[in-house]
Amino acid sequence: MDDIAVLQKLIDESNNIVFFGGAGVSTESGIKDFRSVDGLYHEKYKYPPEEMLSHTFYVRHKQEFYEFYKDKLLVKTVGTETVEKAMPNAAHKKLAELEQAGKLKAVITQNIDGLHQAAGSKIVYELHGSVLRNYCEECGAFFDEKYMFSSEGIPVCSQCGGPVKPDVVLYEEGLDNNVMQGALRAISAADMLIIGGTSLVVYPAAGLIDYYHGKKLVLINRDATARDSVADYVFHGNIGEILGKIQVR
């Protein structure tokens, strides 16, 4: 039995599937990840990207933070005349189909691009927030990603003039407790956990795998991960190509 047939059988026999994904889910939509050989951490900046996406850097160097944020995290989400807007790929679409069929109960993602929702997924736990949501730090007014991208320099609130911060979890910041609790409940109740497009090195998110106690722990990733040995099934390849071959029935 080939890999796709094995995965198909597992999905066919499951009715409470949870998907936990990372940056690799969106790379097939043209959004760069951080740690691969062509990822953001290997590009040259005045400061390391990991430092530029920290809470301390945001507080001390807002101008440079937003230059990097708009250029590397927002441009593919908004799209321009020269940069094509990122769209959901086969993985996002298949997961939405599985949810609509009643088989997949939740998507848990480390991504901040909103592509799961754009594909039609309804129950999505965004561990690291979303670039689509932005709030004034003084009055709490909401602004979308287009407002942020078109702002000159540091985005400020059109109502009170306060700084507008993305609803994105920066390094040094804690994850949202309600989102984490929802993700934990979903994983604990799952009869199948599919983990895809993540190297499983970013904690506490990577620790969620330990809350699954079923017999169908599936890892789908382009490269090997440190947790392959604990999985029941491992598939190496692009997640969009693999999930795109699954039939929803």
Side-chain angles (χ1 to χ4, degrees):
M1 189 180 291
D2 64 28
D3 284 352
I4 298 301
V6 171
L7 183 58
Q8 181 74 62
K9 186 173 187 293
L10 291 169
I11 289 174
D12 288 344
E13 295 174 349
S14 304
N15 292 297
N16 192 341
I17 304 170
V18 171
F19 178 81
F20 172 40
V25 179
S26 291
T27 53
E28 289 172 72
S29 292
I31 295 178
K32 282 191 175 184
D33 64 3
F34 280 69
R35 291 177 172 78
S36 65
V37 292
D38 59 347
L40 292 181
Y41 284 171
H42 294 273
E43 296 185 9
K44 303 301 181 184
Y45 295 97
K46 184 178 178 181
Y47 302 92
E50 196 161 11
E51 180 182 346
M52 297 175 80
L53 292 175
S54 69
H55 179 80
T56 297
F57 192 89
Y58 170 76
V59 172
R60 296 177 179 174
H61 307 281
K62 276 190 173 64
Q63 182 73 36
E64 287 151 307
F65 170 88
Y66 276 110
E67 287 175 4
F68 178 81
Y69 178 76
K70 293 176 187 179
D71 185 42
K72 295 302 175 183
L73 299 185
L74 268 188
V75 65
K76 289 291 292 184
T77 305
V78 176
T80 67
E81 290 183 2
T82 56
V83 179
E84 187 176 359
K85 180 179 179 179
M87 301 298 289
N89 61 51
H92 299 109
K93 294 174 183 177
K94 190 63 64 175
L95 292 167
E97 287 179 41
L98 286 166
E99 182 188 54
Q100 289 158 13
K103 295 184 73 67
L104 185 136
K105 304 304 181 184
V107 168
I108 301 164
T109 181
Q110 295 172 289
N111 297 335
I112 58 176
D113 50 47
L115 289 178
H116 284 293
Q117 291 92 329
S121 290
K122 304 298 183 186
I123 303 176
V124 182
Y125 295 103
E126 296 173 307
L127 299 178
H128 297 154
S130 173
V131 298
L132 307 186
R133 299 186 301 269
N134 307 272
Y135 299 96
C136 173
E137 293 191 275
E138 295 187 6
C139 75
F142 169 84
F143 298 93
D144 65 15
E145 70 281 7
K146 294 178 182 177
Y147 181 89
M148 300 294 282
F149 189 70
S150 62
S151 297
E152 293 292 333
I154 300 170
V156 295
C157 178
S158 59
Q159 299 181 30
C160 76
V164 180
K165 184 178 184 294
D167 188 18
V168 170
V169 179
L170 302 176
Y171 290 103
E172 304 168 346
E173 295 179 344
L175 303 188
D176 183 276
N177 187 58
N178 290 331
V179 174
M180 279 293 287
Q181 290 302 313
L184 290 174
R185 284 193 299 270
I187 288 177
S188 298
D191 61 4
M192 179 179 184
L193 176 60
I194 304 175
I195 300 177
T198 174
S199 54
L200 291 172
V201 297
V202 178
Y203 283 81
L208 291 174
I209 188 174
D210 299 323
Y211 289 84
Y212 175 70
H213 303 295
K215 302 294 185 182
K216 290 183 279 188
L217 174 57
V218 175
L219 292 187
I220 305 173
N221 199 49
R222 187 181 63 184
D223 305 310
T225 77
R227 305 300 292 272
D228 282 8
S229 61
V230 306
D232 299 302
Y233 304 89
V234 177
F235 305 95
H236 288 148
N238 292 324
I239 189 165
E241 293 179 13
I242 292 173
L243 286 184
K245 296 175 182 177
I246 294 299
Q247 300 297 314
V248 179
R249 51 202 183 200

